[in-house]
Amino acid sequence: MQAYRQLAKALQYPHPGQLEFLQTGAGEIQDPAVQRLFQTFLEKVSELSRGEWEELYTSTLDLNPRAAPYLGFQIWGENYKRGEFMSLLNKELREQGIERGGELPDHLVPVLHYLSVSQSPLPELEEIFPRALKKMQKELESSDPDNPYLHLLQAIHKLAPSHQADENNKQQRN
């Protein structure tokens, strides 16, 4: 799914041309609710200078461990279960040819790239993905409710494999 790749690019450290690239690729997101959230994120970061965006990125995704974009950390913290999960995920990333870009395997960027190509994601990932995102969202909502990354996390949550399955089940029942 192109949407996963687009959202992964939005989670990368801000660099020259990134905003324009993200704005151009926003049309690749087919889900209207996800696209609306993504557009809100883009509008809010477009109001910032690149330096302000860099500071926001760092304070939100690098220096705030409670909102850190590491799925396993969000669920288990620093313990052996996270290590087991990262080992499984690392194997999947290698098999799919996903470059981690210097990140740990449970970081949202490589995970989103993995989800964009995997026909059958790891059940362990599908199980924790929405819970970890919800935890990150709650942290940002309580500590910085105006943070643009909150909209990006909400967009990612809407694309979460288990969220999509829930939505499909609701539509089939109606």
Side-chain angles (χ1 to χ4, degrees), residues 66-67 73-77 130-140:
R66 291 172 41 191
F73 176 79
Q74 290 297 329
I75 301 301
W76 299 293
R131 290 187 305 152
L133 284 168
K134 196 58 144 168
K135 194 170 178 186
M136 288 185 279
Q137 287 175 50
K138 282 184 179 181
E139 169 54 30
L140 279 183

Side-chain angles (χ1 to χ4, degrees), residues 16-160:
Q18 183 178 8
L19 182 61
E20 294 79 14
F21 178 83
L22 294 172
Q23 289 168 330
T24 301
E28 296 175 7
I29 299 173
Q30 302 298 314
D31 183 302
V34 173
Q35 189 174 58
R36 218 173 7 264
L37 288 163
F38 188 63
Q39 288 291 353
T40 301
F41 167 76
L42 292 177
E43 288 167 15
K44 290 186 178 271
V45 296
S46 71
E47 296 169 359
L48 305 173
S49 70
R50 194 169 97 231
E52 291 169 328
W53 188 11
E54 290 170 350
E55 286 180 32
L56 176 68
Y57 175 92
T58 302
S59 67
T60 303
L61 301 174
D62 279 349
L63 299 178
N64 185 351
R66 291 172 41 191
Y70 297 94
L71 301 174
F73 176 79
Q74 290 297 329
I75 301 301
W76 299 293
E78 294 290 350
N79 80 27
Y80 75 95
K81 285 187 179 185
R82 179 183 181 209
E84 288 175 357
F85 173 70
M86 286 197 304
S87 178
L88 283 171
L89 194 52
N90 196 41
K91 181 179 181 276
E92 287 288 313
L93 294 173
R94 274 196 317 270
E95 286 176 5
Q96 295 291 334
I98 304 293
E99 292 292 323
R100 293 192 346 238
E103 296 293 352
L104 294 172
D106 66 339
H107 189 278
L108 270 174
V109 170
V111 168
L112 290 172
H113 285 295
Y114 166 72
L115 289 171
S116 75
V117 298
S118 178
Q119 297 296 321
S120 178
L122 279 172
E124 295 86 349
L125 175 61
E126 288 183 310
E127 179 185 328
I128 72 156
F129 192 83
R131 290 187 305 152
L133 284 168
K134 196 58 144 168
K135 194 170 178 186
M136 288 185 279
Q137 287 175 50
K138 282 184 179 181
E139 169 54 30
L140 279 183
E141 286 169 352
S142 67
S143 66
D144 188 4
D146 295 326
N147 191 312
Y149 283 99
L150 183 56
H151 301 284
L152 187 58
L153 290 175
Q154 290 167 341
I156 294 166
H157 189 237
K158 286 208 172 286
L159 281 180

Side-chain angles (χ1 to χ4, degrees), residues 3-16:
Y4 282 125
R5 283 191 217 136
Q6 192 67 16
L7 296 171
K9 291 187 185 309
L11 280 168
Q12 294 175 330
Y13 189 80
H15 57 274

